[in-house]
Each structure stands twice: as structure tokens, then as C-alpha cells.
Amino acid sequence: MALRRLRKFTLTIAMLLFPITIWYFSPYLIIMAAARHVINGSFIVFTLMFVFGLFFGRLWCGWFCPTGGMSECFSDFSPKAPKQGWRNYLKYGIWIVWISGVAVCHVFGKGDYTIQPFFMTERGISVSNIYCYIIYYGIVILFLIPAIVHGKRANCHYICWMAPFMIFGYKFGRLLRLPQVKIKSKPQTCAGCKSCQKICPMALDVPALARRGEINSAECILCGECVAACKTGALQYKITNKRGTND
């Protein structure tokens, strides 16, 4: 229970700070900055997400992401499990097109390179006037609609432009055999109650994944809800470079 309360607390703080931090996650400002050869706040944040993913995978999504926190709040409107499959790859298509645009802007941009973490923010605060609030609430609605239509954290599954940074970082970290935070399992101690599956905010088939020795899925956000729900201790956080049997 302490683990769950701590996670809810960090997500709540992230959501409360979102009007201040939203531009640092902006897929648009990074393009504007690239055209002027500016390394802006979102460029720095997205780079750090990749580095973070090398060791922690998508733990950011489960513990600190403001849009992820909103998605979990919105899940009360539609607690159903979003459909898995080809829809999960939509975010990669969005990411590739977007990153390609950023790269093109850097190639054809003008001026000397400068580092401006607060590019186009007033005193480092994102939402500093009423017009910015219009954009802010537009983004909130953007995340609300998929949650209502498709179910729990559908945004994280289908459209999140930040998730691929951590997913690719995690996969690269596995390739390098770096020590990583993982949820390991002991299938022989599983009671088959499926409490982990019921509580998973990403609506994953946790028992099926656990039978392989590790919750190794690109959609796992390492939130630890399954760890907290497991009554037999079959699921545990571990820091290791060892892989599950599904590799």
C-alpha cells in the first residue's frame, strides 16, 4: 500500500506542475527551436528520457509523467482494457514522422547553435498567459478522448510521442547488458488469482508475461501495481542485467 500511495503522490505532483512544465514535453517547440539551431528544453528532456530508459525503461511513465497521471484519472470514465495489437505501433509511426521533421529542421535551420533551456517560456513557466491555457486544455482534451473511447491509458498505448524514447533506450540497454530496473517473477509461487491483471493500469496480461520469468513488455510502465497486488510475492522489483526466458 505504501508503494501505491507514493506513486499516486508523485503522479499528483506531476499533474499539478504540468502548467509549468508542459512546454518541456512539447513536440512542437522542439521543431521551432531546431529551425533556429536552438537546443531547447524539450530537446534536453527527450534526450534525458532516452538515457533514463537505458536503466529504468518506462518507469517515468508509471511514476512521474503528468499525462500518464491524467490518463489514470480519466480511466474512471472508461475502465475497460484497450485493445492491444497493431494500435500499439501507431505511436512509433507518429514518433518517426516527428523525429524526421526535427532532423530536417536541424539540417536546414539557420544560425549558430545555442542552448536555451527556457526557449519560448516566460521565466521558465510554460503557461504564462490566457492563450497558453487554451493550448493546455486542448492537450488535456486530446488525452481525455482516447481514454474515454478506448479505455485505460489508451494514450500511452497508441499516441504518446515520449514513450518511444524510453522504449528504445530500454532495448538498447538490454542489448548492452546494462543493469536495469525490472519486474521479475517466480511463476512457481503464483496463486493464479489474477489480481495483478485486474489492477494493471496498462491492462496487460500480467499472468501470461509473468510465466516467462519477467514482465518484459514495451507497454509495461514499471508502476509496481502488480507487485503491490501480488499476495504471494511472485512479482518483485529487481535491478539486474539478466533476461527473462522470453528473450
Side-chain angles (χ1 to χ4, degrees), residues 22 87 114 121 124 160 194-195 213:
I22 187 172
R87 293 178 178 84
T114 59
T121 62
C160 182
K194 295 189 177 181
S195 296

Side-chain angles (χ1 to χ4, degrees), residues 22-23 28 127 130-141:
I22 187 172
W23 286 175
Y28 174 67
V127 180
I130 191 170
Y131 302 106
C132 292
Y133 269 104
I134 295 174
I135 299 174
Y136 171 76
Y137 285 114
I139 293 174
V140 172
I141 293 172

